[in-house]
Amino acid sequence: MRPLAVLIGLTLLLVAAVPLAARDGDAPPRYITDPDRRARLKANLALFRHLSPEVRDRVRELDRALHQDEDAAARARLWAVMERYASWLSRLPAEERDKIEAVPAGPERIARVRDMLERQWLNGLPYAYRQQLAGTPADQQTALLEKWRAEDRARRRDRLEALRRIEEGMFNQKFFDDLQKFVKDVLEPKLSDAEKKRLGKIPKTQRLNYCHQVYVFSQRHGLTPPGPAEVWQQVVRTRQMAGPPE
């Protein structure tokens, strides 16, 4: 992964990676007791320490901004955006990443990212769409593309609205605490090693993916996760709308 993706990714992990004093200054240090999580965090910390001092300072500054300037809900959304961007960036061919990282952060980089996303969108159109576009007169292609973009935007709005309803309905801290207690006390004892590994690979910040996987495993093992049934049905529908997790 290139430096920019490392910067974003490590920012997501920095808070829990080091058992230093809590952010309010006088609180005692908080230690991670889960051995698997401690191992992952130590590996992340090792990566962090191998970054240049400049990049480490940028990670710390971004982390401070997230925790001092944003509330919990905004921070969760920003973390999700950073995760998606880092994931997208890390999957690009090396020369494409270089084109993005060659320009300074700001409007110029945003324009380059948008241009690349536009080319990916065009290349990702279904075969039938590309055939239709090829057979459309040049002076009508712009209108056709805009029609397809509008349809994409509508689908994206529907997905975001569904996600918002889910967040309002279940992604509060009490529900998530109850859910993780259910996973530890009820679900995990019934999971195979492969299932435990699969669930453990999903970051807790990816709450939709995590909750959907908990629901799938609960159904598989004849269990009922906590929370209203209609909310879990919405989780399933939204996961289907979003497509397979990245």
Side-chain angles (χ1 to χ4, degrees), residues 169-230:
M170 68 185 298
F171 285 171
N172 56 74
Q173 193 57 49
K174 181 183 183 307
F175 173 86
F176 207 60
D177 289 344
D178 291 344
L179 179 64
Q180 292 187 85
K181 186 177 187 304
F182 164 81
V183 170
K184 181 179 180 181
D185 296 344
V186 181
L187 180 61
E188 282 191 350
K190 293 183 176 293
L191 297 181
S192 67
D193 290 342
E195 289 171 333
K196 290 178 182 177
K197 184 176 181 181
R198 182 171 181 179
L199 185 61
K201 283 184 176 180
I202 304 175
K204 297 299 191 298
T205 51
Q206 294 181 8
R207 292 194 170 184
L208 174 61
N209 293 341
Y210 182 80
C211 289
H212 181 259
Q213 192 62 69
V214 168
Y215 178 80
V216 169
F217 285 159
S218 296
Q219 292 289 295
R220 182 180 299 175
H221 292 280
L223 301 172
T224 301
E230 60 270 18

Side-chain angles (χ1 to χ4, degrees), residues 22-75:
R23 294 178 184 282
D24 54 12
D26 297 325
R30 295 173 296 171
Y31 291 92
I32 306 299
T33 57
D34 180 359
D36 291 336
R37 189 180 180 200
R38 283 185 64 85
R40 290 195 301 271
L41 294 175
K42 285 181 178 179
N44 293 329
L45 181 58
L47 288 173
F48 175 76
R49 286 172 171 165
H50 279 85
L51 296 175
S52 68
E54 178 187 8
V55 175
R56 288 201 300 269
D57 287 344
R58 291 168 61 196
V59 170
R60 292 190 181 100
E61 181 58 34
L62 184 53
D63 177 72
R64 278 192 294 269
L66 281 170
H67 285 82
Q68 294 176 2
D69 300 340
E70 306 293 346
D71 59 29
R75 185 162 59 246

